[in-house]
Amino acid sequence: MILLRSRQQYHRKRSVQRKNLRIATMEGIPAVMFMTLLGGQFLTGYLLYLGANSSQLGFVLAITTFVNIGQLFAAFLIQRLKSRKWTLVLFVALHRILWAFTGLIPFVIPKPYWVIAFIILYTLAFIFNTVGGILWNSLISDIVPARVRGRYFGIRNTMMNALGTLVMYAGGIILDHEPGGKGFLILYVFVWICIIVNITMFFFYPDMPFERSTESKFVPMLKKPLKDSAFLKATLFLAGFLFLQNLVVPLYSYVMLQLLHINYQTLSLLNVAQTVSMMGSFYIWGNLNAKYSNRRLLFWTLPIIALSCLLWGLLSVLPMLVVLVAAHIVFGIGVGGFNQLAFNFMIGDTPKSERPMYMAMYAAITGVAAFFGPLLGGNVYSLIKHWPVWMQVYGMQVIVGLAMIVITVTLGRRILKDA
């Protein structure tokens, strides 16, 4: 009788877990759709439509990472929450709605203030997202059992990226057929629908039990990850690498739209190639992760990302589309592994009770570095606009790629590969 009851409880637990995983997966569908249509090439295109210059574009691309500093305070405050779920719903809704309001700017704001209005709404949206992000990471790490975490996120990431490629391509076709304000209006209609569905899906998330920190005060809690030398060294190194990467990568769309005069449909196809290669790499990185540590595999992703930057230099001798396709595919392989392994590093290589502060510390340190990357990169593009075209199109990428290789084979080899 006891054995039968134990089996029934086990099956009920498994059933609840599968239900929760389905909810988390379904929630991701509308999320990836609206984020695809509001980010990447579409964000760059919309800002150019509003009249933004490269410096303003660099600031917008950077601000989402800088506000991650707020996660340090959010990680402390969530220790006092009675419900992570409903606080998550609140901050998710504020983030989504404010971001979607940017689509109303041409209809309610005088044209000279379009860019500044976008920056204000976008910044506010991502301030709320810092809290929502730490809550989601904390909650999802409890929803997904450790034994299936790698497989689940591999499958979920593959599904979401496959959907993202279709949405990206469809969005590119819409903007090519309906350029300017009308095309972006159509995109924002889809965005609003997806946002409403996405917020609704969060109502079905479970409110999981929360293992709280052993510290009750902010400073001692903050010191926990700072005293973890292996974690801190790895995080600081990755922050430096992301700084270099973000000098050029977020501005790829700017270079292709403004300097190479590529249309949205072609740009979408390039991003589709990048996403497909990223999806294919998830399986490979996942299998390797069963044999090697997160830190060691993170090291292996870095020269691949650097190579993707160096490939831009081949524009001097090879056809443009051949080079861009190759660069996007290689970048997809590298960044797919980096993102998956960095997430596993945060939720798998850290103590469970202190995980929110560890995740917040990683986000804050890498966020500051990633902030100054596109901000500086955007200003550099403004400064070199009268320089030879080759320097603007691929010179920056080659210089940054070489710098990435140097820090990888020196600092990275010691901090990550031999960890």
Side-chain angles (χ1 to χ4, degrees):
M1 179 65 80
I2 295 175
L3 182 59
L4 178 60
R5 189 179 299 119
S6 173
R7 286 178 177 175
Q8 289 173 340
Q9 290 173 345
Y10 172 77
H11 287 302
R12 278 198 297 270
K13 183 179 179 181
R14 290 290 301 274
S15 178
V16 170
Q17 287 176 347
R18 284 194 292 267
K19 177 186 175 183
N20 292 340
L21 295 180
R22 281 197 299 270
I23 292 170
T25 303
M26 294 301 293
E27 174 270 316
I29 293 173
V32 77
M33 292 176 72
F34 87 78
M35 288 181 182
T36 299
L37 294 175
L38 289 181
Q41 68 194 52
F42 303 112
L43 172 61
T44 302
Y46 189 56
L47 281 166
L48 292 173
Y49 165 71
L50 294 179
N53 57 39
S54 62
S55 297
Q56 291 169 324
L57 181 61
F59 177 82
V60 170
L61 295 173
I63 195 62
T64 57
T65 55
F66 184 74
V67 295
N68 280 341
I69 294 175
Q71 289 196 16
L72 293 172
F73 302 100
F76 173 70
L77 292 174
I78 67 172
Q79 304 292 331
R80 286 155 173 72
L81 293 176
K82 292 183 178 179
S83 170
R84 283 183 293 174
K85 170 188 171 177
W86 294 112
T87 310
L88 173 64
V89 171
L90 172 64
F91 282 92
V92 160
L94 289 170
H95 164 248
R96 270 63 162 161
I97 291 169
L98 283 170
W99 197 1
F101 274 158
T102 58
L104 301 178
I105 288 173
F107 302 99
V108 296
I109 304 292
K111 190 169 184 178
Y113 305 104
W114 282 3
V115 176
I116 189 64
F118 182 96
I119 291 173
I120 291 171
L121 284 172
Y122 191 78
T123 303
L124 286 173
F126 278 88
I127 289 173
F128 287 118
N129 189 55
T130 61
V131 181
I134 196 72
L135 283 166
W136 187 84
N137 284 334
S138 173
L139 192 57
I140 199 70
S141 67
D142 290 334
I143 290 174
V144 184
R147 66 181 183 278
V148 299
R149 196 170 283 156
R151 183 182 178 192
Y152 171 76
F153 283 114
I155 294 171
R156 187 180 190 270
N157 289 341
T158 301
M159 289 174 57
M160 296 305 120
N161 280 279
L163 176 61
T165 60
L166 296 175
V167 174
M168 187 186 302
Y169 184 63
I173 292 174
I174 290 171
L175 287 182
D176 279 337
H177 283 275
E178 298 290 348
K182 187 175 181 180
F184 285 111
L185 176 60
I186 295 171
L187 294 189
Y188 269 94
V189 170
F190 285 111
V191 163
W192 271 105
I193 294 170
C194 291
I195 282 176
I196 292 169
V197 174
N198 180 241
I199 294 172
T200 303
M201 288 301 302
F202 277 101
F203 281 76
F204 297 95
Y205 260 59
D207 206 355
M208 304 292 289
F210 183 33
E211 184 176 335
R212 302 179 189 279
S213 172
T214 56
E215 302 289 347
S216 59
K217 295 183 179 179
F218 178 70
V219 174
M221 195 182 300
L222 186 69
K223 287 181 179 179
K224 288 275 188 177
L226 293 176
K227 290 180 178 179
D228 188 336
S229 61
F231 169 82
L232 190 59
K233 286 178 182 178
T235 299
L236 288 172
F237 170 74
L238 292 174
F241 189 88
L242 287 172
F243 168 76
L244 291 174
Q245 176 182 306
N246 281 17
L247 282 171
V248 291
V249 173
L251 295 161
Y252 280 176
S253 293
Y254 169 78
V255 172
M256 290 185 284
L257 288 170
Q258 288 290 93
L259 303 177
L260 296 177
H261 307 293
I262 291 174
N263 60 36
Y264 283 101
Q265 190 169 344
T266 302
L267 187 55
S268 293
L269 286 172
L270 290 171
N271 285 318
V272 166
Q274 176 179 307
T275 306
V276 170
S277 66
M278 186 188 303
M279 288 163 50
S281 75
F282 288 147
Y283 178 78
I284 298 171
W285 291 115
N287 284 339
L288 289 172
N289 206 188
K291 300 179 181 179
Y292 303 102
S293 70
N294 292 317
R295 288 188 177 94
R296 184 175 289 265
L297 288 177
L298 271 171
F299 171 79
W300 291 352
T301 67
L302 305 184
I304 298 175
I305 295 173
L307 176 61
S308 72
C309 295
L310 294 173
L311 284 174
W312 280 72
L314 295 177
L315 287 171
S316 59
V317 293
L318 294 177
M320 179 179 68
L321 286 179
V322 172
V323 173
L324 293 180
V325 168
H328 278 74
I329 288 174
V330 172
F331 182 72
I333 295 170
V335 81
F338 183 93
N339 292 340
Q340 185 168 318
L341 292 160
F343 185 74
N344 290 344
F345 167 64
M346 284 189 292
I347 70 172
D349 292 3
T350 54
K352 185 177 179 181
S353 63
E354 310 302 327
R355 191 170 293 154
M357 187 56 77
Y358 270 79
M359 290 189 292
M361 185 62 69
Y362 176 88
I365 294 174
T366 57
V368 170
F371 168 77
F372 286 106
L375 188 64
L376 179 60
N379 280 286
V380 169
Y381 273 106
S382 292
L383 291 173
I384 66 173
K385 63 183 179 181
H386 300 301
W387 288 25
V389 175
W390 70 265
M391 186 64 189
Q392 300 178 60
V393 172
Y394 60 83
M396 277 276 291
Q397 287 87 318
V398 171
I399 292 171
V400 169
L402 290 172
M404 287 177 170
I405 292 292
V406 170
I407 69 164
T408 297
V409 299
T410 53
L411 292 174
R413 188 177 186 85
R414 185 169 66 252
I415 294 172
L416 294 177
K417 189 176 181 181
D418 298 325

